[in-house]
Amino acid sequence: MSAKKKPKDSIFNRVRILRTERDMSRAQLAELIHVNPQTIGALERGDHFPSLDLAFRICEVFGLPVEAVFSRSEFTLMSTELYRPAQEKS
Amino acid sequence: MKTDKKRRRWEYIATNAYKFERWRRPGPTRALIAWYFTGIALAIVFLMATFAWIHFLWFYIVALLSSMVAWTILRSTIDAKDMAPDEVLDDYEAEVLDIWRRRSFTLFEAALLIGGVLVIFLGVIFQEHIDVVTMSVFAGIYMIMLYLSVGTLPAVGFALTFNRTDSDSDSDTES
């Protein structure tokens, strides 16, 4: 039973995808940023939105800017975003 | 100074308590919670029964001690995080505790108000049939049992949220 937060404006994230790309478990990511593994789970499910400090720490692990990991609008599929420029070039 | 003392106290408990690793899963956690509240409920029943027969007091002691064992194990599984200083908790842990503390406070407010009104009402209506000692004991038992039931909710909520296996699956409803 998770204590769900009712958001005013949702914050979407790509933490799960980025973690999977790097073959990283929740426990490994949690250890790197010094949080409980369940906190990572809550972030990925949208049950919890990170503080600025936590968001920066996550971005540092992935080596990406904040806007590449977190967004106010839902992310489109990364594969679609990667494939579209290639189609447009050809 | 106060934060330092609180941190040292928490560190001592978290470091020296037995970890109960196998209990840090949803199933055993729910069993511990059920064990604890069942013990408290039985303790209340037996305590009320002592007004009829004093030897129910022994059953009360057994029920209460039993629930305290469950409580001790439960708090050990969460490393006593319900009493940890703020700097030790991460964002989500602090948020979960905050939510459950607010729920606990709301329940306390309602129960204490109802209990207070009830004691006054019963004392006035039955003043010739109930002596002061009995009423005082009843009020004291009510408050202590309320504390044991409602005051423990933050730790219970924390355990329910965080005592899960480290699963990378989307569904976090492991049993």
Side-chain angles (χ1 to χ4, degrees), chain B residues 89-113:
Chain B
L89 304 169
D90 69 40
D91 291 357
Y92 188 49
E93 288 174 335
E95 185 184 317
V96 167
L97 276 176
D98 183 51
I99 286 168
W100 281 95
R101 280 173 183 151
R102 277 190 270 126
R103 286 176 182 166
S104 174
F105 183 71
T106 304
L107 278 170
F108 262 131
E109 277 187 319
L112 283 171
L113 186 63

PDB file of all heavy atoms in Angstrom, chain B residues 89-113:
ATOM      1  N   LEU B  89      16.082  10.486   6.363  1.00  0.00           N
ATOM      2  CA  LEU B  89      15.041  10.005   5.456  1.00  0.00           C
ATOM      3  C   LEU B  89      15.205  10.620   4.073  1.00  0.00           C
ATOM      4  O   LEU B  89      15.616  11.763   3.946  1.00  0.00           O
ATOM      5  CB  LEU B  89      13.660  10.391   5.999  1.00  0.00           C
ATOM      6  CG  LEU B  89      13.317   9.923   7.404  1.00  0.00           C
ATOM      7  CD1 LEU B  89      12.053  10.609   7.896  1.00  0.00           C
ATOM      8  CD2 LEU B  89      13.142   8.423   7.425  1.00  0.00           C
ATOM      9  N   ASP B  90      14.855   9.829   3.029  1.00  0.00           N
ATOM     10  CA  ASP B  90      14.829  10.438   1.695  1.00  0.00           C
ATOM     11  C   ASP B  90      13.453  11.082   1.483  1.00  0.00           C
ATOM     12  O   ASP B  90      12.578  10.977   2.342  1.00  0.00           O
ATOM     13  CB  ASP B  90      15.184   9.408   0.601  1.00  0.00           C
ATOM     14  CG  ASP B  90      14.137   8.333   0.385  1.00  0.00           C
ATOM     15  OD1 ASP B  90      12.926   8.635   0.416  1.00  0.00           O
ATOM     16  OD2 ASP B  90      14.524   7.156   0.166  1.00  0.00           O
ATOM     17  N   ASP B  91      13.278  11.735   0.330  1.00  0.00           N
ATOM     18  CA  ASP B  91      12.037  12.489   0.042  1.00  0.00           C
ATOM     19  C   ASP B  91      10.787  11.651   0.251  1.00  0.00           C
ATOM     20  O   ASP B  91       9.836  12.071   0.908  1.00  0.00           O
ATOM     21  CB  ASP B  91      12.027  12.931  -1.441  1.00  0.00           C
ATOM     22  CG  ASP B  91      13.063  13.978  -1.737  1.00  0.00           C
ATOM     23  OD1 ASP B  91      13.757  14.406  -0.806  1.00  0.00           O
ATOM     24  OD2 ASP B  91      13.157  14.355  -2.917  1.00  0.00           O
ATOM     25  N   TYR B  92      10.792  10.477  -0.361  1.00  0.00           N
ATOM     26  CA  TYR B  92       9.592   9.647  -0.364  1.00  0.00           C
ATOM     27  C   TYR B  92       9.313   9.078   1.019  1.00  0.00           C
ATOM     28  O   TYR B  92       8.160   9.019   1.461  1.00  0.00           O
ATOM     29  CB  TYR B  92       9.735   8.528  -1.411  1.00  0.00           C
ATOM     30  CG  TYR B  92       8.479   7.721  -1.634  1.00  0.00           C
ATOM     31  CD1 TYR B  92       7.254   8.327  -1.864  1.00  0.00           C
ATOM     32  CD2 TYR B  92       8.525   6.327  -1.620  1.00  0.00           C
ATOM     33  CE1 TYR B  92       6.099   7.583  -2.073  1.00  0.00           C
ATOM     34  CE2 TYR B  92       7.381   5.574  -1.836  1.00  0.00           C
ATOM     35  CZ  TYR B  92       6.177   6.208  -2.057  1.00  0.00           C
ATOM     36  OH  TYR B  92       5.032   5.473  -2.275  1.00  0.00           O
ATOM     37  N   GLU B  93      10.351   8.663   1.717  1.00  0.00           N
ATOM     38  CA  GLU B  93      10.186   8.159   3.083  1.00  0.00           C
ATOM     39  C   GLU B  93       9.557   9.239   3.968  1.00  0.00           C
ATOM     40  O   GLU B  93       8.634   8.967   4.743  1.00  0.00           O
ATOM     41  CB  GLU B  93      11.541   7.733   3.666  1.00  0.00           C
ATOM     42  CG  GLU B  93      12.099   6.447   3.074  1.00  0.00           C
ATOM     43  CD  GLU B  93      13.501   6.133   3.560  1.00  0.00           C
ATOM     44  OE1 GLU B  93      14.226   7.073   3.948  1.00  0.00           O
ATOM     45  OE2 GLU B  93      13.887   4.949   3.537  1.00  0.00           O
ATOM     46  N   ALA B  94      10.066  10.473   3.850  1.00  0.00           N
ATOM     47  CA  ALA B  94       9.522  11.578   4.641  1.00  0.00           C
ATOM     48  C   ALA B  94       8.065  11.843   4.262  1.00  0.00           C
ATOM     49  O   ALA B  94       7.234  12.110   5.135  1.00  0.00           O
ATOM     50  CB  ALA B  94      10.356  12.833   4.424  1.00  0.00           C
ATOM     51  N   GLU B  95       7.768  11.744   2.976  1.00  0.00           N
ATOM     52  CA  GLU B  95       6.393  11.996   2.502  1.00  0.00           C
ATOM     53  C   GLU B  95       5.432  10.939   3.044  1.00  0.00           C
ATOM     54  O   GLU B  95       4.339  11.270   3.519  1.00  0.00           O
ATOM     55  CB  GLU B  95       6.379  11.976   0.970  1.00  0.00           C
ATOM     56  CG  GLU B  95       5.034  12.338   0.359  1.00  0.00           C
ATOM     57  CD  GLU B  95       5.061  12.218  -1.157  1.00  0.00           C
ATOM     58  OE1 GLU B  95       6.061  12.659  -1.769  1.00  0.00           O
ATOM     59  OE2 GLU B  95       4.095  11.694  -1.717  1.00  0.00           O
ATOM     60  N   VAL B  96       5.838   9.690   2.991  1.00  0.00           N
ATOM     61  CA  VAL B  96       4.985   8.595   3.482  1.00  0.00           C
ATOM     62  C   VAL B  96       4.720   8.753   4.977  1.00  0.00           C
ATOM     63  O   VAL B  96       3.587   8.629   5.448  1.00  0.00           O
ATOM     64  CB  VAL B  96       5.640   7.222   3.178  1.00  0.00           C
ATOM     65  CG1 VAL B  96       4.955   6.102   3.936  1.00  0.00           C
ATOM     66  CG2 VAL B  96       5.604   6.950   1.686  1.00  0.00           C
ATOM     67  N   LEU B  97       5.779   9.047   5.736  1.00  0.00           N
ATOM     68  CA  LEU B  97       5.613   9.231   7.183  1.00  0.00           C
ATOM     69  C   LEU B  97       4.707  10.431   7.460  1.00  0.00           C
ATOM     70  O   LEU B  97       3.861  10.368   8.356  1.00  0.00           O
ATOM     71  CB  LEU B  97       6.969   9.442   7.853  1.00  0.00           C
ATOM     72  CG  LEU B  97       7.744   8.174   8.197  1.00  0.00           C
ATOM     73  CD1 LEU B  97       9.114   8.524   8.754  1.00  0.00           C
ATOM     74  CD2 LEU B  97       6.991   7.306   9.192  1.00  0.00           C
ATOM     75  N   ASP B  98       4.866  11.487   6.703  1.00  0.00           N
ATOM     76  CA  ASP B  98       4.053  12.684   6.883  1.00  0.00           C
ATOM     77  C   ASP B  98       2.574  12.367   6.659  1.00  0.00           C
ATOM     78  O   ASP B  98       1.714  12.774   7.444  1.00  0.00           O
ATOM     79  CB  ASP B  98       4.525  13.771   5.911  1.00  0.00           C
ATOM     80  CG  ASP B  98       3.756  15.056   6.102  1.00  0.00           C
ATOM     81  OD1 ASP B  98       3.662  15.515   7.259  1.00  0.00           O
ATOM     82  OD2 ASP B  98       3.231  15.600   5.109  1.00  0.00           O
ATOM     83  N   ILE B  99       2.280  11.625   5.601  1.00  0.00           N
ATOM     84  CA  ILE B  99       0.897  11.267   5.285  1.00  0.00           C
ATOM     85  C   ILE B  99       0.296  10.425   6.404  1.00  0.00           C
ATOM     86  O   ILE B  99      -0.833  10.678   6.862  1.00  0.00           O
ATOM     87  CB  ILE B  99       0.831  10.524   3.929  1.00  0.00           C
ATOM     88  CG1 ILE B  99       1.053  11.528   2.786  1.00  0.00           C
ATOM     89  CG2 ILE B  99      -0.504   9.813   3.746  1.00  0.00           C
ATOM     90  CD1 ILE B  99       1.287  10.890   1.437  1.00  0.00           C
ATOM     91  N   TRP B 100       1.027   9.437   6.863  1.00  0.00           N
ATOM     92  CA  TRP B 100       0.502   8.556   7.915  1.00  0.00           C
ATOM     93  C   TRP B 100       0.414   9.262   9.264  1.00  0.00           C
ATOM     94  O   TRP B 100      -0.481   8.974  10.057  1.00  0.00           O
ATOM     95  CB  TRP B 100       1.352   7.286   8.024  1.00  0.00           C
ATOM     96  CG  TRP B 100       1.000   6.322   6.950  1.00  0.00           C
ATOM     97  CD1 TRP B 100       1.618   6.168   5.746  1.00  0.00           C
ATOM     98  CD2 TRP B 100      -0.080   5.382   6.960  1.00  0.00           C
ATOM     99  NE1 TRP B 100       0.989   5.214   5.006  1.00  0.00           N
ATOM    100  CE2 TRP B 100      -0.057   4.696   5.728  1.00  0.00           C
ATOM    101  CE3 TRP B 100      -1.062   5.057   7.890  1.00  0.00           C
ATOM    102  CZ2 TRP B 100      -0.956   3.706   5.402  1.00  0.00           C
ATOM    103  CZ3 TRP B 100      -1.984   4.059   7.564  1.00  0.00           C
ATOM    104  CH2 TRP B 100      -1.924   3.397   6.341  1.00  0.00           C
ATOM    105  N   ARG B 101       1.320  10.210   9.519  1.00  0.00           N
ATOM    106  CA  ARG B 101       1.225  10.984  10.767  1.00  0.00           C
ATOM    107  C   ARG B 101      -0.018  11.874  10.753  1.00  0.00           C
ATOM    108  O   ARG B 101      -0.681  12.036  11.786  1.00  0.00           O
ATOM    109  CB  ARG B 101       2.481  11.845  10.962  1.00  0.00           C
ATOM    110  CG  ARG B 101       3.641  11.058  11.522  1.00  0.00           C
ATOM    111  CD  ARG B 101       4.930  11.846  11.551  1.00  0.00           C
ATOM    112  NE  ARG B 101       6.010  10.995  12.037  1.00  0.00           N
ATOM    113  CZ  ARG B 101       7.278  11.129  11.691  1.00  0.00           C
ATOM    114  NH1 ARG B 101       7.650  12.094  10.872  1.00  0.00           N
ATOM    115  NH2 ARG B 101       8.207  10.307  12.167  1.00  0.00           N
ATOM    116  N   ARG B 102      -0.333  12.417   9.598  1.00  0.00           N
ATOM    117  CA  ARG B 102      -1.545  13.255   9.494  1.00  0.00           C
ATOM    118  C   ARG B 102      -2.801  12.412   9.695  1.00  0.00           C
ATOM    119  O   ARG B 102      -3.757  12.837  10.340  1.00  0.00           O
ATOM    120  CB  ARG B 102      -1.575  13.999   8.156  1.00  0.00           C
ATOM    121  CG  ARG B 102      -0.755  15.273   8.201  1.00  0.00           C
ATOM    122  CD  ARG B 102      -0.946  16.167   7.008  1.00  0.00           C
ATOM    123  NE  ARG B 102       0.018  15.812   5.986  1.00  0.00           N
ATOM    124  CZ  ARG B 102      -0.301  15.507   4.739  1.00  0.00           C
ATOM    125  NH1 ARG B 102      -1.545  15.509   4.347  1.00  0.00           N
ATOM    126  NH2 ARG B 102       0.621  15.205   3.867  1.00  0.00           N
ATOM    127  N   ARG B 103      -2.781  11.209   9.117  1.00  0.00           N
ATOM    128  CA  ARG B 103      -3.931  10.299   9.310  1.00  0.00           C
ATOM    129  C   ARG B 103      -4.077   9.949  10.791  1.00  0.00           C
ATOM    130  O   ARG B 103      -5.185   9.951  11.339  1.00  0.00           O
ATOM    131  CB  ARG B 103      -3.727   9.015   8.497  1.00  0.00           C
ATOM    132  CG  ARG B 103      -3.927   9.202   7.016  1.00  0.00           C
ATOM    133  CD  ARG B 103      -3.611   7.945   6.259  1.00  0.00           C
ATOM    134  NE  ARG B 103      -3.758   8.156   4.820  1.00  0.00           N
ATOM    135  CZ  ARG B 103      -3.321   7.347   3.871  1.00  0.00           C
ATOM    136  NH1 ARG B 103      -2.698   6.228   4.195  1.00  0.00           N
ATOM    137  NH2 ARG B 103      -3.506   7.630   2.606  1.00  0.00           N
ATOM    138  N   SER B 104      -2.956   9.635  11.418  1.00  0.00           N
ATOM    139  CA  SER B 104      -2.945   9.283  12.830  1.00  0.00           C
ATOM    140  C   SER B 104      -3.456  10.446  13.669  1.00  0.00           C
ATOM    141  O   SER B 104      -4.272  10.254  14.578  1.00  0.00           O
ATOM    142  CB  SER B 104      -1.510   8.909  13.225  1.00  0.00           C
ATOM    143  OG  SER B 104      -1.411   8.690  14.591  1.00  0.00           O
ATOM    144  N   PHE B 105      -3.007  11.653  13.355  1.00  0.00           N
ATOM    145  CA  PHE B 105      -3.429  12.845  14.103  1.00  0.00           C
ATOM    146  C   PHE B 105      -4.931  13.067  13.967  1.00  0.00           C
ATOM    147  O   PHE B 105      -5.618  13.397  14.948  1.00  0.00           O
ATOM    148  CB  PHE B 105      -2.658  14.064  13.602  1.00  0.00           C
ATOM    149  CG  PHE B 105      -2.962  15.330  14.334  1.00  0.00           C
ATOM    150  CD1 PHE B 105      -2.523  15.507  15.632  1.00  0.00           C
ATOM    151  CD2 PHE B 105      -3.711  16.336  13.737  1.00  0.00           C
ATOM    152  CE1 PHE B 105      -2.809  16.669  16.327  1.00  0.00           C
ATOM    153  CE2 PHE B 105      -4.003  17.500  14.423  1.00  0.00           C
ATOM    154  CZ  PHE B 105      -3.555  17.672  15.714  1.00  0.00           C
ATOM    155  N   THR B 106      -5.446  12.892  12.769  1.00  0.00           N
ATOM    156  CA  THR B 106      -6.893  13.059  12.528  1.00  0.00           C
ATOM    157  C   THR B 106      -7.695  12.062  13.363  1.00  0.00           C
ATOM    158  O   THR B 106      -8.699  12.424  13.978  1.00  0.00           O
ATOM    159  CB  THR B 106      -7.220  12.866  11.038  1.00  0.00           C
ATOM    160  OG1 THR B 106      -6.441  13.781  10.273  1.00  0.00           O
ATOM    161  CG2 THR B 106      -8.694  13.091  10.746  1.00  0.00           C
ATOM    162  N   LEU B 107      -7.224  10.821  13.382  1.00  0.00           N
ATOM    163  CA  LEU B 107      -7.913   9.795  14.177  1.00  0.00           C
ATOM    164  C   LEU B 107      -7.842  10.108  15.671  1.00  0.00           C
ATOM    165  O   LEU B 107      -8.824   9.939  16.400  1.00  0.00           O
ATOM    166  CB  LEU B 107      -7.303   8.420  13.915  1.00  0.00           C
ATOM    167  CG  LEU B 107      -7.788   7.706  12.660  1.00  0.00           C
ATOM    168  CD1 LEU B 107      -6.939   6.472  12.388  1.00  0.00           C
ATOM    169  CD2 LEU B 107      -9.259   7.310  12.790  1.00  0.00           C
ATOM    170  N   PHE B 108      -6.659  10.571  16.111  1.00  0.00           N
ATOM    171  CA  PHE B 108      -6.491  10.956  17.521  1.00  0.00           C
ATOM    172  C   PHE B 108      -7.485  12.053  17.896  1.00  0.00           C
ATOM    173  O   PHE B 108      -8.141  11.978  18.937  1.00  0.00           O
ATOM    174  CB  PHE B 108      -5.075  11.500  17.763  1.00  0.00           C
ATOM    175  CG  PHE B 108      -4.119  10.501  18.331  1.00  0.00           C
ATOM    176  CD1 PHE B 108      -2.870  10.326  17.762  1.00  0.00           C
ATOM    177  CD2 PHE B 108      -4.458   9.736  19.444  1.00  0.00           C
ATOM    178  CE1 PHE B 108      -1.981   9.398  18.278  1.00  0.00           C
ATOM    179  CE2 PHE B 108      -3.570   8.810  19.957  1.00  0.00           C
ATOM    180  CZ  PHE B 108      -2.326   8.644  19.374  1.00  0.00           C
ATOM    181  N   GLU B 109      -7.581  13.060  17.041  1.00  0.00           N
ATOM    182  CA  GLU B 109      -8.492  14.192  17.308  1.00  0.00           C
ATOM    183  C   GLU B 109      -9.909  13.700  17.514  1.00  0.00           C
ATOM    184  O   GLU B 109     -10.572  14.052  18.496  1.00  0.00           O
ATOM    185  CB  GLU B 109      -8.466  15.160  16.111  1.00  0.00           C
ATOM    186  CG  GLU B 109      -7.332  16.144  16.112  1.00  0.00           C
ATOM    187  CD  GLU B 109      -7.484  17.157  14.991  1.00  0.00           C
ATOM    188  OE1 GLU B 109      -7.873  16.763  13.872  1.00  0.00           O
ATOM    189  OE2 GLU B 109      -7.197  18.338  15.232  1.00  0.00           O
ATOM    190  N   ALA B 110     -10.372  12.873  16.571  1.00  0.00           N
ATOM    191  CA  ALA B 110     -11.752  12.382  16.621  1.00  0.00           C
ATOM    192  C   ALA B 110     -11.966  11.498  17.846  1.00  0.00           C
ATOM    193  O   ALA B 110     -12.938  11.676  18.597  1.00  0.00           O
ATOM    194  CB  ALA B 110     -12.069  11.611  15.344  1.00  0.00           C
ATOM    195  N   ALA B 111     -11.058  10.554  18.056  1.00  0.00           N
ATOM    196  CA  ALA B 111     -11.229   9.588  19.152  1.00  0.00           C
ATOM    197  C   ALA B 111     -11.143  10.258  20.528  1.00  0.00           C
ATOM    198  O   ALA B 111     -11.893   9.904  21.443  1.00  0.00           O
ATOM    199  CB  ALA B 111     -10.194   8.483  19.038  1.00  0.00           C
ATOM    200  N   LEU B 112     -10.231  11.211  20.670  1.00  0.00           N
ATOM    201  CA  LEU B 112     -10.103  11.892  21.969  1.00  0.00           C
ATOM    202  C   LEU B 112     -11.328  12.761  22.245  1.00  0.00           C
ATOM    203  O   LEU B 112     -11.799  12.836  23.387  1.00  0.00           O
ATOM    204  CB  LEU B 112      -8.832  12.738  21.998  1.00  0.00           C
ATOM    205  CG  LEU B 112      -7.533  11.956  22.202  1.00  0.00           C
ATOM    206  CD1 LEU B 112      -6.326  12.844  22.007  1.00  0.00           C
ATOM    207  CD2 LEU B 112      -7.494  11.307  23.584  1.00  0.00           C
ATOM    208  N   LEU B 113     -11.841  13.402  21.221  1.00  0.00           N
ATOM    209  CA  LEU B 113     -13.036  14.233  21.382  1.00  0.00           C
ATOM    210  C   LEU B 113     -14.242  13.374  21.786  1.00  0.00           C
ATOM    211  O   LEU B 113     -14.946  13.683  22.758  1.00  0.00           O
ATOM    212  CB  LEU B 113     -13.331  14.976  20.083  1.00  0.00           C
ATOM    213  CG  LEU B 113     -14.477  15.993  20.122  1.00  0.00           C
ATOM    214  CD1 LEU B 113     -14.148  17.118  21.096  1.00  0.00           C
ATOM    215  CD2 LEU B 113     -14.731  16.571  18.733  1.00  0.00           C
TER     216      LEU B 113
END
